[in-house]
Amino acid sequence: GAACERKMLRTSVIAASVAAASAFLAGPALPSTHAPARSNAISSMSMQARSKPLPWLEAPPALDGKMEGDVGFDPLWVSSMLPDAGWIKFLRESELKHARVAMLAA
């Protein structure tokens, strides 16, 4: 009855809060394939390339700035899950198409 509904509501509110809070965690969204750093002081400093728009994240390797407008913004590392570089161009064209259709609909 009502007690079960309150418990379900409480559980869903807690789950939504945890999901929202996890959006603010630093670090790549996907597990890194880099070897663990050595324990000396020099190697503990992060010398990896950083993303320009999100400097607390590593720069995605597939986004190297060769395409027009590419500044390395890929917080979920979708570009690293694609089979080849041709998919990045396909996804960019489809994003432009959908944006233009959305502007026409507005």
Side-chain angles (χ1 to χ4, degrees):
C4 183
E5 288 178 10
R6 282 194 300 262
K7 186 175 180 180
M8 190 181 326
L9 177 64
R10 186 178 310 137
T11 304
S12 61
V13 168
I14 290 171
S17 299
V18 169
S22 68
F24 297 102
L25 295 176
L30 297 176
S32 178
T33 59
H34 301 291
R38 295 184 311 232
S39 62
N40 65 25
I42 294 175
S43 66
S44 65
M45 296 173 56
S46 179
M47 298 295 174
Q48 299 167 347
R50 295 289 178 194
S51 172
K52 289 179 185 176
L54 303 171
W56 60 90
L57 294 178
E58 294 177 24
L63 300 180
D64 52 6
K66 291 180 182 176
M67 290 181 62
E68 184 70 31
D70 175 18
V71 294
F73 183 77
D74 189 8
L76 298 178
W77 282 50
V78 174
S79 62
S80 65
M81 293 185 277
L82 301 173
D84 60 17
W87 278 92
I88 293 175
K89 291 181 180 181
F90 170 77
L91 291 176
R92 182 178 182 190
E93 290 174 8
S94 64
E95 183 179 3
L96 288 171
K97 175 186 168 188
H98 288 103
R100 290 174 181 156
V101 170
M103 286 187 279
L104 284 173

